[in-house]
Amino acid sequence: MSDQTPLEERLRAALEARGRLINAHDLSPARPPAGRTWGTRRIRRVLSVAVAAAAAAAAVVLLLTSNTPDRPRPVPPARHSSPTPAVPHPRPSTIPHPVPSAVASGP
């Protein structure tokens, strides 16, 4: 394949020159991604901690308010079985009250 065109020779020379510019430092591992993915992970972490804390608080409240045999629930007071007599309520009077008239002061 010695019959290369001048264009191919120029392309090969350019690619070889570009390849010589790359060194071992350029081939090192890339830095971890930064940006949206790290923010989403933080939000998920905070959200999971908040849900766990809410579940723990709910469990504590349920344990403290549960009805245990040591603390029986108070019994409501007994009611009388006889009906109470109805007390009539006084009706408002329908008699109009006299309205005081304005007193004119004389000269």
Side-chain angles (χ1 to χ4, degrees), residues 1-3 7 11 13 28 35 37 39 42 49 53 57 60 63 65 67 69-70 72 74 76 84-85 89 96 99:
M1 291 193 160
S2 61
D3 55 333
L7 180 63
L11 283 174
S28 66
T37 57
R42 284 187 191 125
V49 168
V60 168
L63 286 175
T65 61
N67 194 12
D70 298 341
T84 58
H89 295 288
V99 178

Side-chain angles (χ1 to χ4, degrees), residues 70-100:
D70 298 341
R71 296 184 308 178
R73 186 176 284 176
V75 179
R79 296 181 181 233
H80 295 289
S81 61
S82 63
T84 58
V87 178
H89 295 288
R91 293 186 181 178
S93 99
T94 56
I95 303 171
H97 296 285
V99 178

Side-chain angles (χ1 to χ4, degrees), residues 13-15 20-21 23 27 30 34 38 45 49 69 74 78-79 81 100 103 107:
L15 288 174
R20 285 187 213 119
L21 294 175
N23 59 21
L27 299 175
W38 286 105
R45 189 176 347 164
V49 168
R79 296 181 181 233
S81 61
V103 178

